[in-house]
Amino acid sequence: MPAMTAVDAGARAGAGVPAEAVGPLVRGVGVLRRLAEAGGTLSPSALERATGLARSTVDRITATLARMGYVRLDGRDVVLTPGVLELGNAYLAALRLPALLGARADALADELDESVSLAVADRDGIRFIHQATRRRALSVSFRIGDLLPAERTAPGALFATEWSERDWARWHARRAEDPRDTAFPAVPPRPEPAPGTAHDAADTVDADFTDRVRAARRDGWALDDQLIEPGLVAVSAPVRDPRTGRVACVASVVSHTSRHPAADLPATLLPRLRTAVAAMEADLRTAPPPEPGPAPAGLATWTTASKQELGRDFVESLARGLTVLTAFGEGRPALSLTDVARATGLPRATARRALLTHEYLGLVAAAPHEDRAFTLTPRVLDLGFPPLSRTTLPRLAEPHLRALADRVREPAALAVLTADGTEIQYTAGAGTSGVLTVRIPVGARLPAAATSLGRVLLADTGAPASPGLAEIRTRGYALVDEELESGLRSVAVPVRDRTGRAVAAVNVATHAARRSLEDCVQHLLPALRATADDIQRDLHRASRFTRVPTT
């Protein structure tokens, strides 16, 4: 596990925590951070060890997070769910940079056939807010939300050109406390120095970074020559805020030495990167003011109702504190205490204590004036975003398919259309323990026209449809009776992306002797539609700022 931070120490020992901080909120945030660092899954006993909390406290926190839809209890494990992405999505929506610049980064990645990232400053580190990666055997594995030490990146040198003396002092303090970067789980720790050479090794790193910052200030770009690990190289350029002239984010092209030696990057990749950065800055200059999206409603009422229903197992102060983060979003990047209280329905005193706690945890920052406004910081992405930012539709669907199969006691599956539209490919499934059951392995292909999954997808292609497909499109489901195989009945509904396009379908299959056609429609179809809605909700959360592959 990473080295314990000052925030963690305060949360564990109670030392240094402001008097008005909400203790359960501090502990709940710590649980989410430990889950994220572990890849999204830990047992309660492992959480107990990682956080230093009592088992009863861990159980109450995880029960509350499960009620909020941020985790699920899967056997003996606590697992982060896509619901927790709403916290990071609030930050990214308020920031606007991924929405405004992401398409430019994607286009540059396609043109160069290299990975392209956007990063923002996070104190003395850098944090990724957009990734356009290449799908090849040797590829970059960083995720949106990953935090890297500034001195081991090209973007860090560019951000450091604007550091104050206080920023440099904080960086030196962190380097002295954690010279091997063990507090940064996204990068491999530095090797142990030889006995008696630790001080010299640290001085070399510090001097090298200072030199690179000086070069970045002079040149207007920066180079990463295998700073993170052997073979990984990158070239970076700043994207400046047109209002302030300061660095808003840094765009980087990332490759490896077998494709581009570091010394060649200024000539081979930098010119096109600079062209893309100029276009990004033009987009920032001409972007219209954001239209504020709807603020969350009824959160205070929901938390109160949950407390009444679950009693001691629901930690209301934790739930209310986390809902405060969702008050921010597109068109709502800076909110006053009054704004937050109004958006969440919480009393001002409750909202104030939550904001002060989040400020202590580094999740919000306050403007230094009396009627101060609060903004989210990049550290909100710590709360589960990295392990979920590389998910796929089958992974999102699997727990919902298992729940559906357990509920109706029939097998359920997810499938997509193949590129030519003639077949479906099964991408996820959940079986049952019956002797006579449908078993179609993931990866199998079947004729689309002969299956309920295929028909419901064909009906949504937008092409002129046959009368049968037109009827399926109108009613929203497909029912196939013993056409693929004698005795096999199945019903399917589409799974739609954020644009409303059907990108996959889910079905339930049964034997004709077990369920009549009427029973399939009256009993299986409602449960199937509810499952599709659950999968869609997770897909919409996960795909707001990341690409979610359908296979």
Side-chain angles (χ1 to χ4, degrees), residues 77-383:
D77 290 330
V78 181
V79 183
L80 288 174
T81 70
V84 79
L85 291 174
E86 71 179 12
L87 303 176
N89 283 344
Y91 164 72
L92 294 173
L95 183 67
R96 294 192 77 201
L97 293 177
L100 292 175
L101 308 182
R104 296 280 188 191
D106 295 344
L108 180 61
D110 290 340
E111 178 183 344
L112 299 177
D113 193 27
E114 300 288 356
S115 295
V116 174
S117 66
L118 300 177
V120 295
D122 189 348
R123 298 189 182 182
D124 60 342
I126 69 125
R127 198 178 291 269
F128 294 110
I129 59 169
H130 184 83
Q131 288 280 4
T133 57
R134 303 291 87 189
R135 300 188 74 175
R136 52 171 69 107
L138 189 61
S139 61
V140 179
S141 62
F142 291 129
R143 307 158 300 182
I144 294 176
D146 274 338
L147 177 68
L148 278 62
E151 69 276 8
R152 294 179 69 177
T153 69
L158 290 163
F159 287 122
T161 63
E162 297 181 341
W163 281 2
S164 65
E165 290 185 7
R166 181 181 179 185
D167 295 327
W168 280 104
R170 180 168 53 201
W171 176 74
H172 282 294
R174 189 261 296 167
R175 288 277 302 126
E177 181 182 351
D178 183 23
R180 298 190 62 218
D181 299 332
T182 58
F184 296 86
V187 298
R190 295 181 185 274
E192 285 277 8
T197 65
H199 186 271
D200 292 341
D203 285 347
T204 299
V205 170
D206 293 359
D208 175 70
F209 183 55
T210 303
D211 289 343
R212 289 193 295 109
V213 172
R214 189 179 299 112
R217 185 179 293 112
R218 179 192 66 226
D219 300 333
W221 55 271
L223 192 66
D224 172 354
D225 185 2
Q226 307 178 79
L227 296 170
I228 294 172
E229 64 180 24
L232 184 65
V233 294
V235 61
S236 301
V239 180
R240 297 192 178 274
D241 187 326
R243 299 166 303 168
T244 65
R246 293 179 63 83
V247 180
C249 67
V250 170
S252 303
V253 181
V254 187
S255 187
H256 50 82
T257 51
S258 58
R259 292 175 60 84
H260 293 280
D264 293 350
L265 296 186
T268 57
L269 300 181
L270 181 60
R272 187 61 192 91
L273 172 61
R274 279 180 154 167
T275 299
V277 163
M280 291 178 184
E281 292 177 339
D283 290 342
L284 293 182
R285 283 194 298 271
T286 59
E291 290 291 335
L299 296 176
T301 302
W302 178 86
T303 57
T304 299
S306 297
K307 180 65 175 179
Q308 292 174 347
E309 179 180 343
L310 299 180
R312 186 178 181 278
D313 288 337
F314 185 79
V315 186
E316 189 174 13
S317 58
L318 167 59
R320 289 189 164 193
L322 289 176
T323 63
V324 162
L325 299 177
T326 65
F328 299 83
E330 187 172 5
R332 303 190 308 277
L335 298 176
S336 67
L337 170 58
T338 300
D339 294 331
V340 171
R342 184 184 301 118
T344 58
L346 296 172
R348 278 176 57 90
T350 301
R352 177 176 176 275
R353 289 192 66 199
L355 287 168
L356 289 174
T357 305
H358 288 313
E359 187 177 16
Y360 160 68
L361 294 171
L363 301 175
V364 304
H369 50 77
E370 186 173 343
D371 187 22
R372 57 184 187 168
F374 294 86
T375 59
L376 298 181
T377 75
R379 297 209 163 192
V380 174
L381 296 174
D382 272 342
L383 308 184

